[in-house]
Amino acid sequence: MAEIINLRIARKARGRAVAAAAADTNRAKFGRSKAEKQTDAAEAARREKLLDGARLDEADPA
């Protein structure tokens, strides 16, 4: 026979799991030091500059 479960408890457990996943994401996003944020911003700026520097000028089709 199948195990009998209380749907209210199952619903609350599922909600807690979703909240825990959101908390993990927020910890990774906001739980960093100022130096880590500056390092990431500098790396993003470097990647953007490298990408823009490699961009080819669009040729005039006319």
Side-chain angles (χ1 to χ4, degrees):
M1 259 189 159
E3 182 181 344
I4 298 174
I5 61 169
N6 186 327
L7 295 178
R8 178 180 51 84
I9 293 173
R11 185 183 70 243
K12 287 184 177 185
R14 185 175 60 238
R16 284 188 202 102
V18 169
D24 286 341
T25 303
N26 286 338
R27 273 189 223 105
K29 188 174 181 182
F30 298 110
R32 301 181 300 156
S33 69
K34 186 174 183 178
E36 289 173 328
K37 291 176 188 177
Q38 288 176 340
T39 302
D40 287 346
E43 179 65 23
R46 186 193 67 77
R47 283 193 312 260
E48 188 69 26
K49 182 178 177 184
L50 180 66
L51 182 64
D52 286 343
R55 185 181 307 258
L56 297 177
D57 292 331
E58 293 183 17
D60 189 19

